[in-house]
Amino acid sequence: MSVEPAVMSARIKPVPSAKRLITVSGIGLLFDSMDVNLVAYILVAVAAQWHLSPATQGYLSSMGFIGMAVGAALAGLLADRFGRKAVFMWTLLIYSVATGLTAFAWGVGIFYFLRFLVGFGLGGELPVATTYVLESSADDRRGRHVVLLEMFYAFGSLCAALISNLVIPSVGWRVVFLIGAIPALYVLILRRQLPESPRFMSLAERRSMRDAFTTLWAPGVTRSTVVTWVLWFAMNFAFYGMVLWLPSILFLKGYSLVHSLSYTLIMTLAQVPGYLTAAWLVEKWGRKRTLLPAMLCSALAALGFGFAHSTLWLFVFGILVNYFMLGAWAGTYIFTVEQFPTRARASGIGWASGFGRIGAIIAPSLVGLMIGAKIGFGAVFTMFFAMIAIGFLVVWAFGRETLGERLR
């Protein structure tokens, strides 16, 4: 009689409780979000100190997303080959150290390089953490767990806003990056707290990285690959094009630096209820049925923000953009990660995320060029409306609902 099942069973450690699973994994995402959102606030101060043009600001924002694109695709393949936990920790460590070093950047060139490294680690960590939580959760709660995990991203946005409001005006932007390096210490906690994903450990064989990528284009999977790639491109283009420029846009509209940061903080508060709403709806309505209305409302709110001419309406539409966009992001993660079989799940969401980062690379630079060319904010946000609408139509027409399905 074969002893393989017994050996395999011995290798699988008990799954942590839902609270510990989400909290320990989520704090990693919190630090990730804090880092990427800090750049939106820091660019305002860096541009003033180094006399950067709007186009250069856009390029600096885009450099981090180039790293994220590479990191997401590579980390997904590595996680399907060597495990979720190890890749989760290494990507977290890479971006944390690079963030701390950015505090000592002496010019634009080294800033570009370090932002690439930060993006590489950040891009790799996000899809791997999502895969880990999904595979470690019960079928009837996995959707809610993934969305609650992603909610930590909103907490990270709030931390970034608070740190920027308290630190940048008083002691400058460099100290902010030193604070962002704290997650490096958190890797030690992750090593002790998290067992490997039970689904990954139960695989009969480890597929090569090439096989994992090939699976994404196998019969029955190709449509999911194409739909998720388009979805992630649209979401990244719109979200990062808006969020990374939001403080600068308010500044360009005539608000002071302090007011621009404070107003953005207030708008960012709407991200948390956006996630909480999605966490409830994904198990009631479904993944696709939650994602589509959130995308449609995000597109309309973006259009409203672009044509708002008073502080009141900027607030209203800024809050709505943050609320619905984060609800849409929550739906995007759970919709994507359930589209792929276990043997290529991290690769599936990793490559969708990586391809989507191309949108995040293009959007900040394009917005900088448009602002530099004196193109109005109405036209800029109409562009975001159109991009979200494209993603909406593709998911609506070709996306597959996965509520109630067993993981493959």
Side-chain angles (χ1 to χ4, degrees), residues 15-16 18 21 133-146 198-199 283 287 338 405-407:
V15 176
L21 171 71
V133 169
L134 180 87
E135 294 181 346
S136 300
S137 301
D139 285 343
D140 61 342
R141 293 188 295 275
R142 65 181 192 246
R144 183 172 291 112
H145 287 180
V146 168
R199 280 192 172 271
E283 299 291 7
R287 286 59 158 137
E338 291 187 342
E405 292 186 4
R406 292 186 61 83
L407 294 178

Side-chain angles (χ1 to χ4, degrees), residues 37-39 61 64-65 83-84 93 105 129 143 171 200 238 250 255 281 292 309 317 323 326 348-349 362 368-369 393:
N37 281 278
L38 282 173
V39 177
S61 297
F65 294 111
R84 292 33 168 148
L93 183 61
V171 296
F200 176 80
L250 292 174
Y255 298 96
L281 290 176
L292 288 177
H309 295 295
F317 286 113
Y323 176 83
L326 273 295
I349 188 173
I362 296 172
L369 291 172
L393 291 173

